[in-house]
Amino acid sequence: QVQLVESGGGLVQAGGSLRLSCAASGRTFSSYAMGWFRQAPGKEREFVAAITRSAGSTYYADSVKGRFTISRDNAKNTVYLQMTSLKPEDTAGYYCAARVWNNDQNPPRDVFVYRYWGQGTQVTVSS
C-alpha cells in the first residue's frame, strides 16, 4: 500500500512552466514505477510520462516529448513532472500513479496496470 499526495498544479500562461510533485508514503518507494496521467473534461485519462524505480528508463507520450520531464528522488519518496512550453491543450487534471515494477526498464504506460493513484492536481494553461 502506498499513498500519493500531489501538489504544484495551478494556472499558467501558455509557454510557461510548472513543476508537479508527488510525494509517496511508505518505505518501498524505490520498488515502484511511477507514472503521470492527465484527464481533461469529457476525455479519457491519458498517459503522460513514466519512470522506472531507479530512473533507468523513462517514457513520454508523443504530445509532451521535449516539453515535459519526469524525474524522481527516492531519498525523498517523490516523483516530479517538470512541464515547460505549456499549451492550452495541456489543461487537465494531472494524476500521479504507482505500481510495483521489478526491473528498471519499460515503465508501464497503460492506465489499467497502475494500482495506486494520487488525488489529482489541476493544471490550467491560458491562451
Side-chain angles (χ1 to χ4, degrees), residues 1-126:
Q1 179 66 45
V2 60
Q3 285 76 46
L4 307 174
V5 180
E6 301 170 337
S7 61
L11 176 65
V12 65
Q13 296 289 321
S17 300
L18 208 59
R19 188 196 196 205
L20 306 183
S21 298
C22 175
S25 66
R27 299 163 54 191
T28 58
F29 176 73
S30 62
S31 298
Y32 290 84
M34 302 295 297
W36 286 97
F37 295 78
R38 65 188 183 187
Q39 187 168 21
K43 296 186 177 181
E44 299 291 324
R45 189 167 296 187
E46 67 174 352
F47 171 77
V48 175
I51 188 168
T52 49
R53 61 187 187 183
S54 298
S57 183
T58 59
Y59 197 88
Y60 297 91
D62 288 342
S63 59
V64 306
K65 284 181 181 177
R67 300 189 298 120
F68 291 10
T69 302
I70 188 170
S71 61
R72 67 193 296 162
D73 186 340
N74 288 346
K76 297 180 179 180
N77 283 6
T78 302
V79 64
Y80 306 95
L81 186 68
Q82 179 67 51
M83 304 182 292
T84 62
S85 301
L86 283 162
K87 306 174 181 179
E89 52 262 45
D90 295 319
T91 295
Y94 281 72
Y95 298 84
C96 177
R99 179 195 166 95
V100 172
W101 202 246
N102 293 323
N103 60 66
D104 217 25
Q105 291 79 42
N106 302 319
R109 300 181 285 276
D110 295 322
V111 170
F112 70 89
V113 307
Y114 284 90
R115 173 173 289 193
Y116 306 107
W117 293 86
Q119 78 282 3
T121 185
Q122 179 66 32
V123 172
T124 302
V125 184
S126 61

